Amino acid sequence: MNRFHAVCLALALGLSAAPAFAQETKTGDLTIEKPWARATPKGAEVGVGYLEIRNNGASPDRLTGGSADFAAVEIHEMSMAGGVMKMRELKDGLEIPAHGSVKLAPNGYHVMFTGLKRPLVEGESVRATLTFEHAGAVAVDFAVQGVGAAGPGGAAKGEDMKGMKM
Ligand SMILES: [Cu+2]
């Protein structure tokens, strides 16, 4: 595991429960619910965001990526492999099944904010544009929550993305 993975895991494994939000964004057949991000320590270069995407339509859609003014946006997956947590970028995106939903949540799928230009501060919200194959671009405001009990302390300080291989 390289250092980037360690940071990503530290962020994405945070233990605090997702807050109950009413926020909901609709675009075409998609409904985006409860977007939230985890606060980052000063100097951290990656952050993580979560949300639930519901597809009310009769055909599948696909979350392919996104953009933001504060970071680059990637779609990642975390999973257990041989007893070890691993994560990877979903280069082909994440399918949202017809009449179904996909949850991006700790220990699973997540939006990875890489190359953070500023910290994500608890209590603020950050806007990112998510891109779907069919629904197109959707602006989503991620409410920033605390770093959580398993939060990154000093471990994430001064990390950079140069060692990132995925
Ligand atoms: Cu990640």
Side-chain angles (χ1 to χ4, degrees):
M1 181 181 291
N2 64 33
R3 297 200 69 190
F4 170 72
H5 281 103
V7 172
C8 180
L9 289 173
L11 288 167
L13 282 171
L15 298 177
S16 62
F21 288 165
Q23 194 188 344
E24 198 176 284
T25 304
K26 279 189 200 298
T27 176
D29 289 331
L30 300 183
T31 305
I32 288 164
E33 296 170 357
K34 304 182 205 94
W36 65 285
R38 198 177 291 291
T40 59
K42 208 174 162 196
E45 297 206 3
V46 293
V48 64
Y50 304 109
L51 69 160
E52 190 168 346
I53 303 160
R54 191 170 297 281
N55 182 357
N56 304 303
S59 53
D61 206 335
R62 184 169 286 273
L63 173 60
T64 55
S67 62
D69 62 3
F70 62 92
V73 175
E74 297 176 356
I75 310 305
H76 283 194
E77 174 185 40
M78 190 180 307
S79 59
M80 286 294 269
V84 180
M85 271 296 204
K86 297 203 160 158
M87 72 149 223
R88 66 188 179 100
E89 183 181 2
L90 298 173
K91 299 276 189 195
D92 296 326
L94 174 60
E95 182 172 286
I96 318 298
H99 301 297
S101 69
V102 173
K103 205 172 203 170
L104 288 78
N107 304 333
Y109 300 122
H110 54 279
V111 176
M112 195 99 244
F113 302 118
T114 66
L116 275 184
K117 292 176 183 156
R118 54 185 168 83
L120 305 184
V121 178
E122 184 174 358
E124 295 184 353
S125 87
V126 289
R127 174 165 290 195
T129 299
L130 298 181
T131 309
F132 293 90
E133 197 171 78
H134 299 297
V138 183
V140 177
D141 292 319
F142 290 83
V144 181
Q145 306 298 313
V147 293
K157 286 195 166 80
E159 289 290 344
D160 68 44
M161 300 295 293
K162 293 195 176 69
M164 185 174 168
K165 290 189 183 67
M166 353 176 139

